[in-house]
Amino acid sequence: MPSPSREPGYRFADNLKRRYNMTVEDYENLFNSQNKCCAICGTDSPEMKMYRGNGWVVDHCHATNVVRGILCCRCNLLLGRAKDSIEILEIELKILAMNKRVFIGKI
């Protein structure tokens, strides 16, 4: 008989509790409050999967460990690459908007 710690449901619950002090019920309530979609892009079926997960990631502040929402892997990677920096994301938005105007102006 396999050890309970090797069962996926146990590992998921243990990981939530240990990392974010959440229960599976907390996770499900949060995900349901987001209509079972990514809190950023709104997808209901993530294209990417990280590690052994299902494609959904618990987004949290690395400084305070406060959970912000459930994200798809792509959006989680976006925040991670920007180092959770509002300033970096604002600069990226300006660059995207500038390039869009330049492109539209050339048509």
Side-chain angles (χ1 to χ4, degrees):
M1 183 162 148
S3 145
S5 63
R6 294 197 180 264
E7 294 179 23
Y10 174 86
R11 289 177 48 161
F12 179 67
D14 183 58
N15 188 40
L16 286 175
K17 192 64 168 171
R18 197 170 21 86
R19 287 186 166 185
Y20 314 111
N21 197 31
M22 292 177 78
T23 64
V24 173
E25 183 179 2
D26 293 334
Y27 175 93
E28 289 172 352
N29 288 338
L30 178 58
F31 199 40
N32 288 335
S33 76
Q34 298 175 199
N35 297 316
K36 296 186 179 182
C37 295
C38 174
I40 293 178
C41 73
T43 187
D44 63 356
S45 58
E47 299 170 17
M48 295 175 53
K49 294 183 180 174
M50 294 178 65
Y51 316 113
R52 293 180 219 163
N54 60 6
W56 299 110
V57 181
V58 176
D59 176 46
H60 65 288
C61 172
H62 288 224
T64 64
N65 209 40
V66 172
V67 172
R68 298 183 287 219
I70 309 297
L71 305 180
C72 69
C73 285
R74 285 190 187 276
C75 289
N76 185 60
L77 288 171
L78 171 78
L79 293 181
R81 300 271 190 233
K83 302 175 187 167
D84 288 344
S85 166
I86 292 170
E87 292 80 16
I88 290 173
L89 292 169
E90 286 175 341
I91 292 167
E92 290 175 349
L93 283 171
K94 287 178 186 174
I95 290 169
L96 284 172
M98 179 182 65
N99 287 335
K100 186 174 183 179
R101 282 193 300 272
V102 169
F103 180 73
I104 291 172
K106 290 183 179 181
I107 294 177

